[in-house]
Amino acid sequence: MSHEEVIPPEYSFYLGCVIPNRYPFVEQATRNVMNELGVRLKDMEGASCCPAPGVFRSFDIPTWLTIGARNVSIAEENKADIMTMCNGCYGTLLEVNHQLTHDEQKRTFVNEQLKKIDRKFAGSVKVKHLAEVLYKDLGINTIRDAVTRTLGGLKCAVHYGCHLTKPSEIRPWDGECEDPKFFDELVEVLGCESVAYRDKQMCCGAGGGVRSAIKEVSLDFTRHKLEMMREAGAECIVVMCPFCMLQLDLGQIEVNGIFKDEISGPFAFPVFYYTQLLGLAMGMHPNELGLIKRHDLKGVPPYVNQEPLLTQIFQKLGYDYKQLQKQSVKAVS
Amino acid sequence: MRKVFSRTRNCETYMENIKRSRINHVSSEISDEIVADDLELIRSCFQCGTCTGSCPSGRRTALRTRSVIRKALLGIDQVLDDPDIWLCSTCYTCFERCPRKVPVTDIIIKLRNLATQKGRILTPHKALTHLLIDTGHGVPINEKKWSDLRESYDLNPLPPTVHSSPKAVKEIQTLVNSLEFDKLVEYKPPEKDSKKEESKKEESLKSADEKPMRKSRKIMVKK
């Protein structure tokens, strides 16, 4: 037994659009944390938009299937299962992979298209969400063991996001989608408290092309969620989807504007991606986790100021936010 | 082997009792299209309203999922022109809760496909498709600040996606062209220099004459 060599787990790292192009600190945090956990990530050279299930699938299903299959084929060349950090990308790639593995007619159609660009869908890889990789592949106990310091009972409003758990039939959560627990457990092993709030499983409002076409409606979803989080006494929001992150982060600023007269006061919940907090609890430096702002660019994420809450959290961990920021700016320039 | 949507297949025995002949009088072009796409369980809808009751969008807008399904089944064309079908955020709550296992969300997506074929795609959505065809990303790096932001977090200014590979963008464009998606969403490749200016002028004149057929309808947001 002891002679067996331990092969590090390896995944094709699917980036999508919103993380690399708008929330790059999530990419940074995830790359560093997975490295620290001993997971190898292989880039998917030339991968495109998944394409987004709410919009592009709504316009033309065959195009959605084909471009999705092209992305899967890149992972097949990598010979490693896909790991995605986005619920939307998960929704598309999982569904495409499932449909094409189980329906010969669709597979033939898609492969006729892919032939034109010298590619092929074979059905040889699985599609996994980061949550599944952490909770099931590595295992919650591995995560628990990797945690070296506690985040001091930070009150987190955990937002799962719809496509992480639904449709439940082809997802790995034993059919649970009304009251799942895995994300709460992942948050609580960091020494945080996952607060219970009403309509926790409700959609953030961004999906289905609603944000892109009818923003006011999508923000009314968000307004409701934020009110419920406030009622429960949350200090911050934790997500595992960049589109939910965008909606809950930038959306807060927008809600504070258009629903000014209807809300109980302006919202200011910092929104963190799970790997940012995980890394912190694993003893990693905030600079590796995209937690320190070291640029003076305007109109870029995170839109809700994270500094006040981070200053508090850092104090307990023995860091000084202002000082870290000064040092890292120096290091960059 | 389990087929595509096993939820549809699990119910084969009772589907046998919902014979085509029995429900022929409610079959329509729209429902035929839906049935042809493995979504035949639309026929088992008994209008209980669980979908509408579960719908977070319907709570604040005029979207009534139950009514959308009924109209689709009866083939009332107006359902495709109705802006309400674009108010679904595809959260899949109705899909999970339907006691008759109707794949509600997937049916709405299929209806949107049919609506798009009728030219009913919304303007901001059309713009998104053009971004996808031009860059391969739905949300691309289209300003310098986004690559600067990446660099500030110790990442390459461009991710290892289509953004780092002109060949990959070409591949997307080949597929889009072969599937005639570009025609569907009225995509025109960017033209060069002087020609561009002229066609822009023409374009603006054209669009002034040809108003889109879409009815503008205000979406109610309940307070």
Side-chain angles (χ1 to χ4, degrees):
Chain A
M1 284 282 279
S2 57
H3 293 291
E4 269 179 48
E5 205 181 320
V6 183
I7 303 161
E10 191 175 73
Y11 297 91
S12 295
F13 191 37
Y14 183 76
L15 293 172
C17 297
V18 179
I19 287 181
N21 302 343
R22 293 294 181 274
Y23 281 78
F25 48 85
V26 175
E27 179 183 337
Q28 186 203 25
T30 307
R31 280 185 192 277
N32 290 334
V33 166
M34 296 317 270
N35 185 41
E36 194 77 12
L37 287 168
V39 174
R40 284 187 57 194
L41 298 178
K42 279 185 158 179
D43 280 332
M44 289 174 62
E45 306 284 343
S48 67
C49 176
C50 53
V55 278
F56 302 118
R57 186 186 184 188
S58 291
F59 312 144
D60 192 44
I61 294 168
T63 303
W64 167 79
L65 264 178
T66 308
I67 298 181
R70 178 187 170 275
N71 283 325
V72 176
S73 80
I74 297 173
E76 289 179 350
E77 278 175 10
N78 270 354
K79 294 192 173 51
D81 291 345
I82 292 177
M83 183 189 91
T84 161
M85 298 172 280
C86 168
N87 291 2
C89 302
Y90 183 52
T92 282
L93 298 175
L94 185 72
E95 188 72 39
V96 164
N97 205 37
H98 181 79
Q99 289 194 17
L100 297 183
T101 339
H102 293 84
D103 188 324
E104 215 181 305
Q105 223 179 329
K106 283 185 185 167
R107 190 166 64 238
T108 310
F109 171 83
V110 161
N111 274 331
E112 271 167 21
Q113 296 296 327
L114 291 182
K115 215 173 171 180
K116 295 172 188 169
I117 56 167
D118 288 323
R119 288 187 182 275
K120 191 176 180 255
F121 174 91
S124 60
V125 294
K126 290 186 187 130
V127 176
K128 297 183 175 192
H129 191 284
L130 168 73
E132 184 185 358
V133 171
L134 294 174
Y135 190 84
K136 297 226 160 176
D137 290 10
L138 296 176
I140 182 84
N141 289 329
T142 309
I143 305 299
R144 192 176 284 121
D145 292 344
V147 169
T148 57
R149 58 188 178 193
T150 155
L151 299 187
L154 181 68
K155 287 186 176 163
C156 302
V158 170
H159 174 76
Y160 281 76
C162 303
H163 300 164
L164 179 54
T165 58
K166 291 174 284 194
S168 62
E169 198 168 4
I170 58 172
R171 280 162 175 71
W173 314 114
D174 304 318
E176 183 56 79
C177 64
E178 296 283 357
D179 189 21
K181 291 278 178 252
F182 62 90
F183 194 177
D184 304 274
E185 281 178 47
L186 283 169
V187 166
E188 291 195 327
V189 297
L190 312 182
C192 299
E193 180 192 342
S194 168
V195 298
Y197 63 96
R198 269 167 60 199
D199 291 325
K200 185 168 165 181
Q201 296 307 319
M202 187 185 140
C203 175
C204 68
V210 180
R211 181 179 170 87
S212 49
I214 318 136
K215 202 191 251 182
E216 197 178 332
V217 170
S218 87
L219 290 174
D220 196 55
F221 283 59
T222 316
R223 177 194 58 76
H224 177 76
K225 289 223 69 155
L226 294 169
E227 290 282 16
M228 295 303 113
M229 290 168 178
R230 173 181 281 161
E231 205 178 272
E235 293 174 281
C236 65
I237 302 171
V238 187
V239 296
M240 272 212 247
C241 169
F243 204 34
C244 300
M245 188 167 191
L246 177 83
Q247 181 73 2
L248 292 165
D249 179 30
L250 178 56
Q252 270 184 78
I253 312 289
E254 293 165 339
V255 164
N256 288 344
I258 70 166
F259 294 116
K260 197 172 69 199
D261 301 328
E262 285 148 64
I263 53 178
S264 49
F267 294 103
F269 291 115
V271 187
F272 299 113
Y273 193 89
Y274 178 68
T275 43
Q276 295 185 285
L277 295 186
L278 172 59
L280 209 53
M282 283 165 60
M284 294 170 68
H285 194 279
N287 257 340
E288 297 176 274
L289 304 165
L291 287 169
I292 307 287
K293 187 183 153 188
R294 41 184 193 184
H295 56 74
D296 45 17
L297 300 164
K298 295 273 177 286
V300 298
Y303 294 98
V304 175
N305 186 9
Q306 302 182 334
E307 193 181 323
L309 183 64
L310 281 177
T311 304
Q312 278 180 40
I313 300 173
F314 285 179
Q315 254 167 15
K316 291 178 199 161
L317 303 176
Y319 299 118
D320 181 329
Y321 186 96
K322 282 265 183 265
Q323 210 180 340
L324 282 181
Q325 199 176 28
K326 256 188 222 158
Q327 282 169 0
S328 61
V329 169
K330 244 186 232 162
V332 168
S333 57
Chain B
M1 188 166 66
R2 283 185 1 150
K3 289 199 184 165
V4 189
F5 290 104
S6 50
R7 59 171 14 236
T8 41
R9 311 299 166 178
N10 288 343
C11 307
E12 259 161 355
T13 37
Y14 95 81
M15 274 309 290
E16 275 167 26
N17 294 323
I18 312 176
K19 283 261 160 56
R20 186 65 196 256
S21 55
R22 277 202 193 177
I23 47 105
N24 225 8
H25 60 290
V26 295
S27 175
S28 71
E29 217 172 287
I30 296 175
S31 67
D32 283 350
E33 285 265 9
I34 289 169
V35 168
D37 213 6
D38 278 322
L39 302 168
E40 61 264 54
L41 274 181
I42 188 174
R43 291 182 180 150
S44 72
C45 171
F46 57 17
Q47 290 288 294
C48 69
T50 302
C51 49
T52 300
S54 303
C55 179
S57 186
R59 239 174 271 163
R60 59 203 82 241
T61 66
L63 172 62
R64 296 293 174 265
T65 322
R66 178 177 67 110
S67 147
V68 167
I69 296 294
R70 192 63 183 163
K71 284 178 192 158
L73 195 56
L74 295 175
I76 300 170
D77 269 5
Q78 173 232 328
V79 72
L80 301 182
D81 304 331
D82 194 336
D84 288 355
I85 59 171
W86 299 97
L87 288 169
C88 164
S89 70
T90 66
C91 76
Y92 281 92
T93 310
C94 54
F95 180 106
E96 289 289 338
R97 292 182 184 171
C98 176
R100 302 283 281 179
K101 291 191 179 292
V102 176
V104 189
T105 318
D106 291 346
I107 290 167
I108 292 174
I109 287 170
K110 179 69 189 177
L111 289 173
R112 289 176 172 187
N113 270 233
L114 299 174
T116 303
Q117 286 164 23
K118 279 185 82 182
R120 295 293 195 268
I121 186 172
L122 304 175
T123 313
H125 287 158
K126 197 188 269 185
L128 268 182
T129 64
H130 295 183
L131 279 178
L132 177 73
I133 300 173
D134 280 333
T135 68
H137 275 302
V139 183
I141 291 184
N142 47 4
E143 281 177 69
K144 188 173 173 290
K145 69 174 179 184
W146 300 123
S147 45
D148 288 349
L149 186 65
R150 286 184 58 82
E151 281 190 293
S152 86
Y153 293 107
D154 301 331
L155 297 162
N156 289 328
L158 292 176
T161 60
V162 276
H163 273 335
S164 301
S165 166
K167 179 177 164 271
V169 179
K170 273 265 153 36
E171 287 185 17
I172 299 292
Q173 288 166 348
T174 304
L175 293 175
V176 159
N177 186 263
S178 156
L179 291 153
E180 299 193 343
F181 183 66
D182 46 359
K183 269 190 208 158
L184 180 73
V185 297
E186 298 174 322
Y187 171 81
K188 288 193 193 82
E191 288 170 60
K192 276 168 198 162
D193 309 310
S194 58
K195 260 190 177 176
K196 198 176 175 181
E197 289 303 306
E198 261 175 55
S199 70
K200 251 191 187 169
K201 255 186 212 164
E202 271 174 43
E203 192 86 323
S204 64
L205 285 173
K206 236 191 195 173
S207 57
D209 293 339
E210 298 174 357
K211 279 270 182 292
M213 308 183 287
R214 214 169 299 118
K215 285 179 289 180
S216 66
R217 187 173 134 187
K218 219 175 171 220
I219 292 140
M220 301 182 327
V221 177
K222 277 189 213 155
K223 293 200 171 165

